[in-house]
């Protein structure tokens, strides 16, 4: 039913250029896209929001090329991943790379402030540790792990999003999850 | 090549990560995000509309001057054909007269015929010269028109 209404909204956008219908689609999928980008950028919610905006604008411009072979969210996440990679490459070119703030540093306060107000300290620490653990992975491994563990995407969909083949995705997942879990265990998280 | 078993991916590492991520996961409220996206799209569309209008105007100008250039070229071509025809006609008459003179050659009237031939040459030459001058004039006029058209087009593109 939800998929049907989503198709109806997409049709309205493609056929009539309806901004209202697109706003509805943004409202529905903003959470998944922003969460994915926020974790990909190491918890930098400002940068993640900028990239998410860029993602939705690219989606608006290219919605007529959406063939519904994959789900709309998978398609959006694919754009988001490309937007992230473009931005990461730009940062490497300009020599401006961001590192995660260490606990107690001045950046750490800003990092904490970017978290929602109703968030407790334990959760903030846990998220910081998860971001640090994610930072030990390569960009591709990080994307694969996040897409599976956080977004609940299937291996086939992860392959579609990242543009890799399924076996490569599986190896990235295996290696990424192993490294991440090892890092977390070393830091006192037991599973 | 060995393939990786799906079941091997679902180990304790998997469970640990799922638990921790689930614990750290929070709802991401919209907080005006959708509105900001829609505002950017609206601004982008306005900019696109202006750009399209400017491009359309430039295209219209280009079409106008292209038509003007083509019209001038066609006029010049017609004039060229017409004037060349006139000059060719004069040459034809001259050749015809020369042929008649040769065929009806009479040594007694040689001097008279020679004088007549010189006169015919003198009569024909200005006609050819006039044609060439006119052609040059038309070519120059066409060049000026095209130059002006291109200049205006370049201005409209700026």
């Amino acid at each position: 039913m939800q998929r049907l209404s989503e198709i109806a909204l997409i049709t309205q956008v493609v056929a009539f250029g309806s901004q209202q219908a697109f706003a509805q689609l943004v409202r529905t999928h903003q959470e998944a896209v922003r969460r994915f980008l926020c974790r990909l950028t190491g918890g930098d919610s400002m940068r993640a929001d900028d990239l998410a905006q860029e993602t939705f604008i690219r989606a608006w411009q290219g919605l007529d090329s959406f063939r519904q072979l994959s789900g709309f969210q998978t398609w959006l996440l694919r754009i988001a991943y490309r937007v992230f990679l473009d931005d990461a490459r730009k940062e490497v070119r300009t020599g401006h790379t961001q590192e995660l703030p260490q606990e107690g540093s001045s950046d750490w306060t800003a990092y904490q402030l970017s978290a929602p107000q109703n968030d407790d300290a334990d959760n903030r620490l846990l998220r910081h540790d998860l971001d640090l653990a994610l930072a030990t992975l390569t960009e591709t491994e990080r994307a694969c792990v996040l897409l599976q563990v956080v977004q609940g995407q299937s291996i086939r969909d992860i392959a579609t999003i990242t543009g890799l083949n399924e076996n490569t995705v599986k190896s990235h997942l295996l290696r990424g999850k192993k490294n991440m879990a090892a890092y977390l265990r070393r830091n006192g998280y037991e599973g | 090549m060995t393939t990786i078993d799906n079941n091997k991916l679902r180990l304790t590492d998997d469970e640990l990560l799922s638990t921790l991520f689930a614990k750290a996961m929070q709802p991401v409220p919209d907080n005006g995000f959708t509105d900001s996206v829609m505002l950017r799209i609206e601004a982008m569309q306005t900019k696109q509309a202006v750009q399209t209008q400017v491009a359309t105007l430039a295209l219209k100008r280009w079409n106008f001057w292209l038509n003007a250039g083509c019209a001038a070229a066609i006029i010049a071509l017609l004039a060229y054909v017409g004037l060349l025809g006139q000059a060719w006609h004069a040459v034809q008459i001259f050749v015809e007269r020369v042929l008649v003179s040769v065929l009806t050659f009479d040594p007694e009237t040689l001097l008279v015929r020679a004088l007549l031939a010189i006169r015919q040459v003198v009569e024909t030459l200005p006609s050819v010269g006039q044609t060439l001058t006119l052609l040059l004039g038309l070519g120059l006029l066409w060049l000026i028109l095209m130059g002006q058209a291109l200049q205006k087009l370049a201005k409209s593109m700026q």
Side-chain angles (χ1 to χ4, degrees):
Chain A
M1 193 68 189
Q2 200 203 337
R3 185 155 165 78
L4 271 176
S5 69
E6 201 170 79
I7 291 170
L9 287 170
I10 293 165
T11 312
Q12 280 181 53
V13 178
V14 175
F16 310 111
S18 166
Q19 290 196 8
Q20 275 183 327
F22 190 72
Q24 188 60 47
L25 286 168
V26 177
R27 235 170 258 125
T28 313
H29 296 287
Q30 58 89 19
E31 189 168 354
V33 172
R34 285 165 79 196
R35 178 174 288 134
F36 174 54
L37 286 167
C38 191
R39 296 276 72 85
L40 264 184
T41 54
D44 186 345
S45 56
M46 297 275 273
R47 185 179 161 212
D49 276 6
D50 285 346
L51 297 180
Q53 273 199 9
E54 186 59 36
T55 301
F56 282 109
I57 283 163
R58 283 198 201 175
W60 165 264
Q61 289 170 328
L63 200 61
D64 49 351
S65 66
F66 173 57
R67 295 281 171 266
Q68 303 192 12
L69 296 170
S70 56
F72 184 63
Q73 196 174 88
T74 307
W75 186 70
L76 274 178
L77 289 172
R78 190 178 172 189
I79 299 174
Y81 184 58
R82 281 190 195 162
V83 168
F84 166 75
L85 287 181
D86 288 350
D87 188 65
R89 272 185 216 122
K90 215 185 293 168
E91 283 205 334
V92 168
R93 266 204 305 273
T94 54
H96 177 255
T97 48
Q98 283 185 327
E99 279 179 15
L100 278 175
Q102 290 303 309
E103 200 178 336
S105 68
S106 56
D107 289 344
W108 172 245
T109 321
Y111 177 79
Q112 280 189 308
L113 282 172
S114 72
Q117 293 302 304
N118 58 353
D119 198 8
D120 60 47
D122 282 349
N123 255 352
R124 281 180 210 175
L125 266 174
L126 173 59
R127 251 202 320 279
H128 183 247
D129 286 339
L130 284 172
D131 284 337
L132 286 174
L134 280 168
T136 63
L137 311 182
T138 63
E139 270 170 10
T140 321
E141 285 169 359
R142 206 184 315 161
C144 291
V145 170
L146 284 170
L147 285 166
Q148 193 188 50
V149 182
V150 182
Q151 308 290 339
Q153 298 281 334
S154 67
I155 287 177
R156 179 180 287 183
D157 283 345
I158 298 172
T160 310
I161 292 166
T162 53
L164 303 168
N165 71 47
E166 290 185 26
N167 277 335
T168 315
V169 169
K170 284 177 191 172
S171 353
H172 279 304
L173 277 171
L174 192 69
R175 209 176 314 124
K177 285 198 278 194
K178 194 179 158 195
N179 289 344
M180 216 182 146
Y183 177 90
L184 289 166
R185 284 200 181 95
R186 275 200 306 275
N187 285 279
Y189 292 96
E190 265 315 311
Chain B
M1 202 174 109
T2 54
T3 54
I4 298 156
D5 186 358
N6 263 340
N7 295 326
K8 281 184 184 171
L9 297 176
R10 304 186 193 286
L11 297 172
T12 344
D13 291 350
D14 229 354
E15 287 165 10
L16 172 73
L17 293 178
S18 301
T19 315
L20 292 177
F21 271 114
K23 212 174 153 188
M25 202 185 286
Q26 281 197 320
V28 183
D30 191 287
N31 284 346
F33 175 80
T34 305
D35 292 339
S36 61
V37 170
M38 295 320 292
L39 274 174
R40 268 189 69 180
I41 285 174
E42 223 162 275
M44 198 178 68
Q45 280 194 313
T46 315
K47 198 177 157 191
Q48 266 177 348
V50 172
Q51 278 174 340
T52 314
Q53 214 173 355
V54 169
T56 313
L57 278 172
L59 197 70
K60 276 183 182 169
R61 269 186 229 116
W62 164 252
N63 273 339
F64 172 77
W65 287 109
L66 193 71
N67 287 344
C70 281
I74 288 166
I75 290 167
L77 190 75
L78 287 174
Y80 177 82
V81 170
L83 289 170
L84 195 74
Q86 198 189 348
W88 179 238
H89 185 65
V91 172
Q92 262 185 322
I93 289 169
F94 171 74
V95 172
E96 209 173 283
R97 280 179 187 173
V98 169
L99 273 173
V100 170
S101 298
V102 169
L103 288 171
T104 56
F105 180 72
D106 183 2
E108 283 177 7
T109 57
L110 182 66
L111 188 65
V112 180
R113 283 180 189 278
L115 285 170
L116 275 172
I118 290 166
R119 200 181 152 191
Q120 276 164 13
V121 169
V122 172
E123 273 173 6
T124 309
L125 275 178
S127 175
V128 176
Q130 211 176 12
T131 308
L132 286 172
T133 314
L134 274 167
L135 279 177
L136 278 172
L138 271 169
L140 196 68
L141 185 74
W142 186 75
L143 274 176
I144 291 167
L145 271 173
M146 286 310 287
Q148 273 184 338
L150 285 170
Q151 208 178 0
K152 292 212 172 182
L153 186 73
K155 267 187 193 169
S156 72
M157 293 290 195
Q158 276 173 0

